Amino acid sequence: VVRSNPVAETWASASVDLHLDLAGSRKREALERALRDAVRTGRLGPGLQLPSSRALASDLGIARNTVADAYGQLIAEGWLTARQGAGTRVADRSSAVEAAATPAPQASRPQYDLRAGSPDTAIFPRSAWLAATRRALTAAPAEALGYTDPQGRPELRQALAGYLARARGVQLTPDRIVICSGFTQGLGLICQVLRRRGAKTLAMEVYGQPRHGDIAAAAGLSTTTVPVDGHGAMIDKLADADAVLLTPAHQFPLGVVLGPQRRSRVAAWADATNGLVIEDDYDGEFRYDRQPVGAVQSLAPERVAYAGTVSKALAPGLRLGWLALPAALVGDVVAVKILTDRITSSLDQLTLAEFINSGHYDRQVRRSRLAYRRRRDRLVDALSRHTPWVRIIGIAAGLHLLLELPDSQAEHDIITRAARHGLALEGLGSYQRALSTYPPALVIGYGTPHEHAFTGAVERLTAVLARSA
Ligand SMILES: Cc1ncc(COP(=O)(O)O)c(C=O)c1O
């Protein structure tokens, strides 16, 4: 508690800790004003228990009566309430009046959302995650809650090394893994390291997440594009880039798989040019009709930076991802990670380690794979029945598919019409980085709606498409 002049005081008694500015010589008025402002602006929320007048007076170094009088005044004005046995609390009324006076701007959310990107966050396994958090926190050494290893918790790196080798065919040891806040941060870290090492150009598939190009540009890299056909990125057209970002298991958003020859070719390209392949394995666990496609990384572990995330298998809001790196990159990536955010939340890391080790991660992947596969089947069935003229592509994997359209005007018109009917859609054009020969299409993210909204979303989609025939 600071007691010097000017009188900006912090009280930390009872359960609250609040900065109060008691400037001026009239302490009672100053305290009333400070408390009133704190309630009005929401710094003190409705129902909050205030310290007793004795405790607050002692913390602020003023007379107890001064505090009692100030409380009395604010109770009379309706800012505070006092009940026998319940002490003095912040009243509800003031914040309600305030809220009514300044309505929060409402972002208009569409009734249905079939844009790609998010899994169904309603199927996140809350109780299993909560139980894993409890177990992880109970077992965590105190050191884990400090400024722990910036490369990532050893427990999680160990668990991921086992999981990625087993489920994705990645060749790695825990010391090659860096834990990061999703793929977004992982890509940023690699781009910054590449730039520091003198790299200039990152090649990207001609279709992809626009954000990823922005991340490369923010790190000072210029980007070129690689065309994509039915066998994935055309590696022969890589030209003289320093690195390439690929989605080999399931091209985003076209849905094609990088063919076996091209996988070998990109490994050979990296060897011959001293280049780096960044492998974005964002939804590798979700393959329905065939054996999962393993990671390219296993062909050239010293040339490929493999990246994974929980954003599809669990939830994007967790912000957890990982890089499995060539030995020569680990130190530099950790150095940039320290400058970026020092560490990723160790409690979340320990929880994920526990979640993987107890078999819940695999279980959740299997459960959601089944759920998404059913949705895909329902969607494909509805489209085949109601709009048989629409060609559907990229259905073998992932949480999205493509509906081919005759021209880009149709893409634009359908998206606009759908929006008018409460359905959010995205066109392939939003993901296009350069000219391409692919026909216009809709990218339908069937993982996004909650289960109860899925039927409605599909009906709305087929109705909109039928009207544009
Ligand atoms: C192509 C691609 N890669 C990776 C991700 C995951 O990014 P993050 O792990 O930062 O959530 C996404 C999410 O939409 C994506 O579309």
mmCIF file of all heavy atoms in Angstrom, residues 160 164 168 178 180-184 186 279-285 305-311 320-324 361:
data_model
loop_
_atom_site.group_PDB
_atom_site.id
_atom_site.type_symbol
_atom_site.label_atom_id
_atom_site.label_comp_id
_atom_site.label_asym_id
_atom_site.label_seq_id
_atom_site.Cartn_x
_atom_site.Cartn_y
_atom_site.Cartn_z
ATOM 1 N N LEU A 160 4.500 -35.629 -27.468
ATOM 2 C CA LEU A 160 4.289 -35.359 -28.897
ATOM 3 C C LEU A 160 5.215 -36.189 -29.766
ATOM 4 O O LEU A 160 4.821 -36.648 -30.845
ATOM 5 C CB LEU A 160 4.526 -33.872 -29.183
ATOM 6 C CG LEU A 160 3.361 -32.935 -28.887
ATOM 7 C CD1 LEU A 160 3.797 -31.484 -29.008
ATOM 8 C CD2 LEU A 160 2.184 -33.208 -29.842
ATOM 9 N N LEU A 164 3.527 -38.170 -32.660
ATOM 10 C CA LEU A 164 3.768 -37.803 -34.060
ATOM 11 C C LEU A 164 4.467 -38.929 -34.823
ATOM 12 O O LEU A 164 4.205 -39.149 -36.011
ATOM 13 C CB LEU A 164 4.597 -36.510 -34.139
ATOM 14 C CG LEU A 164 3.892 -35.262 -33.609
ATOM 15 C CD1 LEU A 164 4.839 -34.071 -33.567
ATOM 16 C CD2 LEU A 164 2.664 -34.929 -34.480
ATOM 17 N N ARG A 168 1.638 -39.888 -37.271
ATOM 18 C CA ARG A 168 1.887 -39.116 -38.482
ATOM 19 C C ARG A 168 3.185 -39.495 -39.197
ATOM 20 O O ARG A 168 3.562 -38.877 -40.171
ATOM 21 C CB ARG A 168 1.893 -37.601 -38.149
ATOM 22 C CG ARG A 168 0.633 -37.078 -37.494
ATOM 23 C CD ARG A 168 -0.616 -37.167 -38.383
ATOM 24 N NE ARG A 168 -0.433 -36.482 -39.643
ATOM 25 C CZ ARG A 168 -0.577 -37.083 -40.839
ATOM 26 N NH1 ARG A 168 -0.914 -38.350 -40.918
ATOM 27 N NH2 ARG A 168 -0.397 -36.403 -41.942
ATOM 28 N N VAL A 178 9.692 -27.671 -30.888
ATOM 29 C CA VAL A 178 9.470 -26.377 -30.232
ATOM 30 C C VAL A 178 7.950 -26.189 -30.122
ATOM 31 O O VAL A 178 7.235 -26.324 -31.119
ATOM 32 C CB VAL A 178 10.080 -25.205 -31.029
ATOM 33 C CG1 VAL A 178 9.763 -23.872 -30.356
ATOM 34 C CG2 VAL A 178 11.582 -25.376 -31.179
ATOM 35 N N CYS A 180 4.655 -23.999 -29.703
ATOM 36 C CA CYS A 180 4.316 -22.611 -30.030
ATOM 37 C C CYS A 180 2.805 -22.398 -29.937
ATOM 38 O O CYS A 180 2.060 -23.344 -29.711
ATOM 39 C CB CYS A 180 4.824 -22.261 -31.425
ATOM 40 S SG CYS A 180 4.455 -23.506 -32.653
ATOM 41 N N SER A 181 2.402 -21.153 -30.109
ATOM 42 C CA SER A 181 0.975 -20.824 -30.015
ATOM 43 C C SER A 181 0.325 -21.029 -31.372
ATOM 44 O O SER A 181 0.085 -20.064 -32.113
ATOM 45 C CB SER A 181 0.805 -19.382 -29.550
ATOM 46 O OG SER A 181 1.376 -19.242 -28.289
ATOM 47 N N GLY A 182 0.071 -22.263 -31.719
ATOM 48 C CA GLY A 182 -0.570 -22.582 -32.985
ATOM 49 C C GLY A 182 0.402 -22.481 -34.151
ATOM 50 O O GLY A 182 1.540 -22.027 -34.011
ATOM 51 N N PHE A 183 -0.089 -22.915 -35.320
ATOM 52 C CA PHE A 183 0.732 -22.842 -36.525
ATOM 53 C C PHE A 183 1.070 -21.389 -36.845
ATOM 54 O O PHE A 183 2.143 -21.084 -37.349
ATOM 55 C CB PHE A 183 -0.012 -23.485 -37.706
ATOM 56 C CG PHE A 183 0.719 -23.348 -38.996
ATOM 57 C CD1 PHE A 183 1.871 -24.084 -39.224
ATOM 58 C CD2 PHE A 183 0.297 -22.464 -39.973
ATOM 59 C CE1 PHE A 183 2.583 -23.950 -40.411
ATOM 60 C CE2 PHE A 183 0.994 -22.321 -41.161
ATOM 61 C CZ PHE A 183 2.134 -23.065 -41.385
ATOM 62 N N THR A 184 0.139 -20.506 -36.554
ATOM 63 C CA THR A 184 0.336 -19.086 -36.864
ATOM 64 C C THR A 184 1.658 -18.596 -36.283
ATOM 65 O O THR A 184 2.463 -17.974 -36.972
ATOM 66 C CB THR A 184 -0.842 -18.273 -36.296
ATOM 67 O OG1 THR A 184 -2.043 -18.793 -36.846
ATOM 68 C CG2 THR A 184 -0.729 -16.804 -36.622
ATOM 69 N N GLY A 186 4.112 -20.555 -35.154
ATOM 70 C CA GLY A 186 5.201 -21.393 -35.662
ATOM 71 C C GLY A 186 5.722 -20.876 -36.999
ATOM 72 O O GLY A 186 6.938 -20.755 -37.211
ATOM 73 N N GLU A 279 6.265 -27.837 -43.674
ATOM 74 C CA GLU A 279 5.139 -28.752 -43.893
ATOM 75 C C GLU A 279 4.026 -28.417 -42.910
ATOM 76 O O GLU A 279 4.130 -28.667 -41.710
ATOM 77 C CB GLU A 279 5.604 -30.205 -43.687
ATOM 78 C CG GLU A 279 4.473 -31.207 -43.854
ATOM 79 C CD GLU A 279 4.958 -32.657 -43.885
ATOM 80 O OE1 GLU A 279 6.100 -32.936 -43.436
ATOM 81 O OE2 GLU A 279 4.186 -33.509 -44.362
ATOM 82 N N ASP A 280 2.930 -27.859 -43.425
ATOM 83 C CA ASP A 280 1.792 -27.482 -42.587
ATOM 84 C C ASP A 280 0.826 -28.671 -42.542
ATOM 85 O O ASP A 280 0.066 -28.890 -43.472
ATOM 86 C CB ASP A 280 1.126 -26.227 -43.197
ATOM 87 C CG ASP A 280 -0.143 -25.825 -42.464
ATOM 88 O OD1 ASP A 280 -0.451 -26.425 -41.412
ATOM 89 O OD2 ASP A 280 -0.839 -24.904 -42.950
ATOM 90 N N ASP A 281 0.873 -29.431 -41.446
ATOM 91 C CA ASP A 281 0.041 -30.641 -41.324
ATOM 92 C C ASP A 281 -1.183 -30.313 -40.471
ATOM 93 O O ASP A 281 -1.406 -30.894 -39.418
ATOM 94 C CB ASP A 281 0.882 -31.747 -40.670
ATOM 95 C CG ASP A 281 0.248 -33.125 -40.832
ATOM 96 O OD1 ASP A 281 -0.463 -33.339 -41.826
ATOM 97 O OD2 ASP A 281 0.468 -33.985 -39.962
ATOM 98 N N TYR A 282 -1.979 -29.359 -40.963
ATOM 99 C CA TYR A 282 -3.035 -28.774 -40.119
ATOM 100 C C TYR A 282 -4.187 -29.719 -39.826
ATOM 101 O O TYR A 282 -4.856 -29.577 -38.815
ATOM 102 C CB TYR A 282 -3.568 -27.480 -40.763
ATOM 103 C CG TYR A 282 -4.254 -27.735 -42.084
ATOM 104 C CD1 TYR A 282 -5.628 -27.724 -42.193
ATOM 105 C CD2 TYR A 282 -3.507 -28.018 -43.223
ATOM 106 C CE1 TYR A 282 -6.257 -27.987 -43.392
ATOM 107 C CE2 TYR A 282 -4.126 -28.279 -44.416
ATOM 108 C CZ TYR A 282 -5.495 -28.270 -44.497
ATOM 109 O OH TYR A 282 -6.115 -28.542 -45.676
ATOM 110 N N ASP A 283 -4.478 -30.677 -40.746
ATOM 111 C CA ASP A 283 -5.606 -31.583 -40.472
ATOM 112 C C ASP A 283 -5.284 -33.021 -40.869
ATOM 113 O O ASP A 283 -6.167 -33.778 -41.274
ATOM 114 C CB ASP A 283 -6.895 -31.098 -41.152
ATOM 115 C CG ASP A 283 -6.859 -31.211 -42.673
ATOM 116 O OD1 ASP A 283 -5.805 -31.584 -43.206
ATOM 117 O OD2 ASP A 283 -7.882 -30.943 -43.321
ATOM 118 N N GLY A 284 -4.003 -33.378 -40.742
ATOM 119 C CA GLY A 284 -3.532 -34.690 -41.196
ATOM 120 C C GLY A 284 -4.264 -35.862 -40.557
ATOM 121 O O GLY A 284 -4.304 -36.956 -41.122
ATOM 122 N N GLU A 285 -4.849 -35.650 -39.396
ATOM 123 C CA GLU A 285 -5.549 -36.751 -38.706
ATOM 124 C C GLU A 285 -6.897 -37.064 -39.337
ATOM 125 O O GLU A 285 -7.477 -38.106 -39.067
ATOM 126 C CB GLU A 285 -5.806 -36.377 -37.233
ATOM 127 C CG GLU A 285 -4.564 -36.422 -36.356
ATOM 128 C CD GLU A 285 -4.125 -35.044 -35.923
ATOM 129 O OE1 GLU A 285 -4.511 -34.057 -36.602
ATOM 130 O OE2 GLU A 285 -3.401 -34.925 -34.929
ATOM 131 N N ALA A 305 10.766 -28.520 -41.944
ATOM 132 C CA ALA A 305 10.228 -28.070 -40.656
ATOM 133 C C ALA A 305 8.766 -28.485 -40.638
ATOM 134 O O ALA A 305 7.936 -27.933 -41.375
ATOM 135 C CB ALA A 305 10.355 -26.554 -40.535
ATOM 136 N N TYR A 306 8.462 -29.496 -39.829
ATOM 137 C CA TYR A 306 7.109 -30.036 -39.768
ATOM 138 C C TYR A 306 6.312 -29.241 -38.728
ATOM 139 O O TYR A 306 6.815 -28.965 -37.626
ATOM 140 C CB TYR A 306 7.180 -31.509 -39.368
ATOM 141 C CG TYR A 306 5.838 -32.110 -39.045
ATOM 142 C CD1 TYR A 306 5.076 -32.721 -40.032
ATOM 143 C CD2 TYR A 306 5.334 -32.063 -37.749
ATOM 144 C CE1 TYR A 306 3.834 -33.268 -39.732
ATOM 145 C CE2 TYR A 306 4.088 -32.606 -37.440
ATOM 146 C CZ TYR A 306 3.346 -33.198 -38.441
ATOM 147 O OH TYR A 306 2.127 -33.735 -38.153
ATOM 148 N N ALA A 307 5.078 -28.874 -39.054
ATOM 149 C CA ALA A 307 4.277 -28.078 -38.114
ATOM 150 C C ALA A 307 2.910 -28.699 -37.898
ATOM 151 O O ALA A 307 2.254 -29.122 -38.855
ATOM 152 C CB ALA A 307 4.110 -26.656 -38.656
ATOM 153 N N GLY A 308 2.484 -28.790 -36.653
ATOM 154 C CA GLY A 308 1.165 -29.319 -36.326
ATOM 155 C C GLY A 308 0.462 -28.406 -35.332
ATOM 156 O O GLY A 308 1.063 -27.477 -34.778
ATOM 157 N N THR A 309 -0.822 -28.671 -35.116
ATOM 158 C CA THR A 309 -1.645 -27.788 -34.293
ATOM 159 C C THR A 309 -2.807 -28.573 -33.684
ATOM 160 O O THR A 309 -3.204 -29.598 -34.233
ATOM 161 C CB THR A 309 -2.207 -26.643 -35.176
ATOM 162 O OG1 THR A 309 -3.112 -25.839 -34.422
ATOM 163 C CG2 THR A 309 -2.957 -27.161 -36.396
ATOM 164 N N VAL A 310 -3.351 -28.088 -32.586
ATOM 165 C CA VAL A 310 -4.573 -28.706 -32.044
ATOM 166 C C VAL A 310 -5.829 -28.020 -32.596
ATOM 167 O O VAL A 310 -6.942 -28.358 -32.207
ATOM 168 C CB VAL A 310 -4.632 -28.646 -30.489
ATOM 169 C CG1 VAL A 310 -3.442 -29.341 -29.855
ATOM 170 C CG2 VAL A 310 -4.756 -27.208 -29.993
ATOM 171 N N SER A 311 -5.632 -27.065 -33.501
ATOM 172 C CA SER A 311 -6.764 -26.219 -33.906
ATOM 173 C C SER A 311 -7.886 -26.979 -34.607
ATOM 174 O O SER A 311 -9.031 -26.535 -34.569
ATOM 175 C CB SER A 311 -6.283 -25.073 -34.798
ATOM 176 O OG SER A 311 -5.571 -24.154 -34.007
ATOM 177 N N LEU A 320 -2.390 -23.913 -29.254
ATOM 178 C CA LEU A 320 -1.261 -24.804 -29.038
ATOM 179 C C LEU A 320 -0.845 -25.424 -30.379
ATOM 180 O O LEU A 320 -1.690 -25.909 -31.128
ATOM 181 C CB LEU A 320 -1.629 -25.925 -28.068
ATOM 182 C CG LEU A 320 -1.665 -25.568 -26.580
ATOM 183 C CD1 LEU A 320 -2.283 -26.700 -25.766
ATOM 184 C CD2 LEU A 320 -0.270 -25.238 -26.058
ATOM 185 N N GLY A 321 0.442 -25.388 -30.639
ATOM 186 C CA GLY A 321 0.972 -26.004 -31.843
ATOM 187 C C GLY A 321 2.394 -26.450 -31.593
ATOM 188 O O GLY A 321 2.937 -26.241 -30.496
ATOM 189 N N TRP A 322 2.992 -27.088 -32.602
ATOM 190 C CA TRP A 322 4.364 -27.583 -32.416
ATOM 191 C C TRP A 322 5.108 -27.582 -33.731
ATOM 192 O O TRP A 322 4.523 -27.681 -34.806
ATOM 193 C CB TRP A 322 4.334 -29.002 -31.832
ATOM 194 C CG TRP A 322 3.355 -29.909 -32.517
ATOM 195 C CD1 TRP A 322 3.567 -30.650 -33.655
ATOM 196 C CD2 TRP A 322 1.985 -30.143 -32.139
ATOM 197 N NE1 TRP A 322 2.423 -31.324 -33.997
ATOM 198 C CE2 TRP A 322 1.445 -31.049 -33.091
ATOM 199 C CE3 TRP A 322 1.181 -29.683 -31.092
ATOM 200 C CZ2 TRP A 322 0.123 -31.493 -33.018
ATOM 201 C CZ3 TRP A 322 -0.141 -30.131 -31.040
ATOM 202 C CH2 TRP A 322 -0.652 -31.029 -31.985
ATOM 203 N N LEU A 323 6.412 -27.448 -33.621
ATOM 204 C CA LEU A 323 7.296 -27.563 -34.773
ATOM 205 C C LEU A 323 8.242 -28.721 -34.490
ATOM 206 O O LEU A 323 8.756 -28.835 -33.371
ATOM 207 C CB LEU A 323 8.129 -26.284 -34.944
ATOM 208 C CG LEU A 323 7.344 -24.981 -35.152
ATOM 209 C CD1 LEU A 323 8.301 -23.791 -35.098
ATOM 210 C CD2 LEU A 323 6.606 -25.013 -36.492
ATOM 211 N N ALA A 324 8.475 -29.572 -35.490
ATOM 212 C CA ALA A 324 9.548 -30.579 -35.402
ATOM 213 C C ALA A 324 10.594 -30.130 -36.411
ATOM 214 O O ALA A 324 10.329 -30.102 -37.619
ATOM 215 C CB ALA A 324 9.009 -31.953 -35.745
ATOM 216 N N TYR A 361 -6.391 -37.843 -26.422
ATOM 217 C CA TYR A 361 -6.204 -37.139 -27.703
ATOM 218 C C TYR A 361 -6.614 -38.060 -28.854
ATOM 219 O O TYR A 361 -7.409 -37.682 -29.707
ATOM 220 C CB TYR A 361 -4.751 -36.686 -27.853
ATOM 221 C CG TYR A 361 -4.545 -35.724 -28.998
ATOM 222 C CD1 TYR A 361 -4.817 -34.371 -28.840
ATOM 223 C CD2 TYR A 361 -4.093 -36.150 -30.238
ATOM 224 C CE1 TYR A 361 -4.644 -33.473 -29.891
ATOM 225 C CE2 TYR A 361 -3.921 -35.274 -31.297
ATOM 226 C CZ TYR A 361 -4.194 -33.931 -31.112
ATOM 227 O OH TYR A 361 -4.029 -33.046 -32.155
#
